[in-house]
Amino acid sequence: MTDTEPAAIRVLHPPVGYRLAASVRALTFSPYDPCARIASGTFWWATRTPDGPATLALRPAGGELLAEGYGPGAEHVVARADAIAGLRDDLTGFAELAAAHPLVARLAREHQGLRMPTTGQLFPRLLRAVFEQKVTGKEAYRAYSATVRHFREPAPGPLQPLLLPPEAAAVAATPYWVFHPFGVEQRRADTLRRAAALADRLERCADATEATRRLTAIGGIGPWTAAEVVRTAYGDPDAVSVGDYHIPNTVAWALAGEARGDDARMLALLEPFRGHRGRVCLLLEAAGIQAPKYGPRAPIRSFARF
């Protein structure tokens, strides 16, 4: 079998109305992500597994979802394909909570095909989240993309170029100044290197609660970064990105008609949805809801995010 042929295949049965692209979008960092992308309706995701490198392809096929695995880790990723696609996302009780607010109830109906993925992997998402701290999206993507290409390792499978995320051990061993040409100052570079050195321990966390506790014990990682990581690594529907520049305003505007809000106000408005607070934020994002913009565009995406 060649590297361009799947080494493992599985047929998944998504619910009626399931939306693949919307569900896996959280796993891509722009349409040009070197490690994950959607091409011709198929989602391609390169990763590292205990069995070696792998690429997962998720392809809609007549109401079903075909999962194809490439590389030494093919069996591993195909076994987890339903989680990565968001098909293990548990919406139990959410409809009752959503009914507490007419907008949330409407969005829950309109976006019922949107599911939250669970990758089971912390470090690849942590790499991206650290680069997103206190900078614009364009700057964050530049740092992330340049770092992936610096450690360049082709992913298995027919979609090229597709690259594997860097190994944590390699990142931990890299001097901070290597990241400077990528637009990463020493503070974020050191944060990333500290986290990379602890990646094995982090990956063994049993759940989102333990992962959040261990992540926030690392210097330079706060609640925003931890929430961004556990939302995709564990599919945590309650993870709220406290410290974000935009989300408190969006929540305040959508749920209370208030153009501006801080973290405390955001959390108060989300409290009725506890257990699915992050899901509510995801629905607001999916609907394109934004608070009114006053004055010039903010030069950074967050003033306190880390």
Side-chain angles (χ1 to χ4, degrees):
M1 181 173 295
T2 69
D3 193 45
T4 60
E5 298 176 335
I9 299 176
R10 180 183 175 192
V11 178
L12 306 176
H13 307 283
V16 175
Y18 169 75
R19 295 160 54 197
L20 173 63
S23 297
V24 300
R25 187 166 292 120
L27 305 184
T28 66
F29 195 175
S30 94
Y32 311 103
D33 190 326
C35 301
R37 69 189 60 173
I38 297 174
S40 300
T42 298
F43 173 62
W44 299 85
W45 186 65
T47 189
R48 298 180 185 275
T49 78
D51 301 323
T55 296
L56 174 67
L58 294 173
R59 190 190 323 275
E64 296 178 325
L65 194 61
L66 185 64
E68 299 174 332
Y70 300 84
E75 294 283 354
H76 183 93
V77 292
V78 166
R80 294 192 55 84
D82 57 334
I84 295 165
L87 300 184
R88 296 186 194 176
D89 187 14
D90 186 2
L91 279 78
T92 302
F94 179 60
E96 291 77 11
L97 294 177
H101 193 285
L103 174 63
V104 178
R106 177 171 65 81
L107 295 181
R109 292 192 303 270
E110 293 178 353
H111 297 275
Q112 60 180 330
L114 175 61
R115 294 293 189 270
M116 298 181 68
T118 301
T119 65
Q121 299 182 359
L122 275 78
F123 185 70
R125 185 61 183 88
L126 181 56
L127 174 78
R128 170 180 156 186
V130 170
F131 288 147
E132 289 180 289
Q133 293 176 351
K134 297 189 177 183
V135 298
T136 65
K138 183 179 293 187
E139 291 170 317
Y141 177 74
R142 176 187 171 226
Y144 165 79
S145 177
T147 298
V148 170
R149 289 182 169 86
H150 173 79
F151 294 99
R152 188 181 193 92
E153 186 174 343
L159 183 68
Q160 297 299 327
L162 192 68
L163 302 178
L164 292 166
E167 287 190 285
V171 174
T174 301
Y176 75 86
W177 46 261
V178 170
F179 298 95
H180 284 190
F182 311 153
V184 182
E185 79 290 347
Q186 184 173 353
R187 184 194 68 80
R188 281 185 297 157
D190 285 345
T191 296
L192 179 60
R193 293 167 65 244
R194 281 192 295 268
L198 297 170
D200 286 346
R201 184 180 302 177
L202 292 172
E203 298 289 358
R204 292 195 296 269
C205 290
D207 52 30
T209 300
E210 181 184 0
T212 297
R213 177 177 58 80
R214 291 197 175 190
L215 282 166
T216 53
I218 299 172
I221 294 180
W224 183 90
T225 303
E228 292 292 305
V229 172
V230 301
R231 187 180 301 113
T232 56
Y234 294 92
D236 184 357
D238 200 47
V240 181
S241 300
V242 173
D244 195 89
Y245 185 85
H246 295 295
I247 296 176
N249 296 335
T250 298
V251 171
W253 176 249
L255 301 187
E258 300 165 3
R260 292 294 178 266
D262 57 15
D263 284 331
R265 181 57 173 156
M266 172 183 69
L267 292 174
L269 290 169
L270 290 173
E271 184 58 30
F273 309 101
R274 178 170 286 277
H276 292 274
R277 294 176 299 173
R279 190 186 305 279
V280 172
C281 295
L282 178 63
L283 287 173
L284 297 178
E285 179 184 2
I289 295 174
Q290 296 180 340
K293 292 181 172 62
Y294 295 156
R297 184 180 180 88
I300 57 176
R301 294 176 63 195
S302 171
F303 54 79
R305 183 173 58 183
F306 63 90

